[in-house]
Amino acid sequence: MRTMKRYFGYLSAIVLLAVAVACSNNRYEDYMTVIPKDAQGVAAVRFDNVVNKTGVARSPLIRLALSKMSSAMSADVETKVKALIDDPSLSGIDFSSPAYAFVINRQTIGVTMKVEDASLLDELVSTMVKLDFCTKAKKSNDYQWTSLADGSARMVYSDNTLLLVFSNTEQAKSLDQMMLDMMRLDADDSFVTTPQFAKLSEQKLR
């Protein structure tokens, strides 16, 4: 009887260990919790894989576009843009971590990415402002906010999370509150607690 109890104890320990390992494989990071639990079409993308496979930084088209734009840039901005093309990590965004794209309310597309260095991201936004790509960032509710120059997207970021939401101008007034709610989502109310996220985490990201 004692032998059976001992074996049962060993078996229980093995099962608990297996559960712990399984849970650790489905761990999430803060930037992932902004995805609402009812989000649709959630997809993960590894941009470092895309860059490495397509050779974007070495693309003649990128270089040609940069040469065409250089006449409208100051020397300082041109230097920063070239540096970002050669080393995307200078953006402050962690491209080695997957980005997540998703759909909200069947009409709004969101993208969340991991922020590695918020100060570098501040510099990126400042450079984009000088290029007339976006508006000057403003701090509100402990987050930095900016919009694309054409009004097609709104962006908010913190020390660890960047959230980009594409929407139309008619939704602009309600967009900030929705994005603020997403930035403050508890994990229990997020997509990371769903079986779909667990399945997505198990898939090999390409």
Side-chain angles (χ1 to χ4, degrees):
M1 182 64 70
R2 290 180 180 178
T3 302
M4 289 295 293
K5 288 183 177 180
R6 187 182 305 150
Y7 286 151
F8 181 76
Y10 290 156
L11 180 61
S12 299
I14 292 172
V15 170
L16 289 174
L17 179 61
V19 170
V21 170
C23 291
S24 66
N25 288 336
N26 290 327
R27 286 181 300 180
Y28 56 84
E29 298 187 61
D30 288 343
Y31 79 102
M32 303 174 186
T33 62
V34 301
I35 308 173
K37 184 174 287 187
D38 59 354
Q40 299 173 318
V42 181
V45 179
R46 285 284 294 271
F47 282 107
D48 59 341
N49 288 351
V50 173
V51 170
N52 292 334
K53 289 179 180 178
T54 60
V56 171
R58 301 182 299 277
S59 170
L61 289 177
I62 293 294
R63 298 297 175 181
L64 178 61
L66 182 59
S67 66
K68 296 290 185 181
M69 294 169 58
S70 61
S71 60
M73 299 182 196
S74 66
D76 177 57
V77 171
E78 184 178 359
T79 298
K80 289 182 178 180
V81 171
K82 286 181 177 179
L84 283 166
I85 291 175
D86 290 330
D87 184 4
S89 68
L90 293 176
S91 65
I93 299 171
D94 183 0
F95 288 103
S96 65
S97 296
Y100 290 86
F102 50 94
V103 178
I104 316 164
N105 301 327
R106 298 185 178 181
Q107 60 179 347
T108 305
I109 298 175
V111 177
T112 181
M113 303 180 73
K114 181 180 179 180
V115 174
E116 184 69 25
D117 189 326
S119 62
L120 288 177
L121 184 52
D122 289 336
E123 292 182 18
L124 172 63
V125 172
S126 295
T127 300
M128 292 174 65
V129 170
K130 293 176 182 178
L131 291 170
D132 293 326
F133 286 165
C134 70
T135 60
K136 185 177 180 180
K138 295 182 179 180
K139 189 170 183 178
S140 177
N141 296 299
D142 298 323
Y143 304 119
Q144 294 288 350
W145 299 77
T146 182
S147 300
L148 294 189
D150 63 359
S152 62
R154 187 81 164 131
M155 185 173 82
V156 58
Y157 61 92
S158 65
D159 290 339
N160 52 38
T161 302
L162 182 153
L163 174 62
L164 182 66
V165 174
F166 296 88
S167 188
N168 55 52
T169 53
E170 287 76 12
Q171 295 175 292
K173 292 183 179 180
S174 60
L175 197 59
D176 281 9
Q177 185 59 54
M178 181 184 74
M179 294 175 68
L180 181 60
D181 291 342
M182 290 166 66
M183 292 291 286
R184 292 175 170 175
L185 268 181
D186 290 329
D188 290 341
D189 299 318
S190 170
F191 184 78
V192 298
T193 60
T194 66
Q196 292 89 341
F197 178 79
K199 184 176 181 180
L200 188 63
S201 299
E202 293 172 359
Q203 295 176 353
K204 183 179 180 181
L205 299 178
R206 298 180 179 179

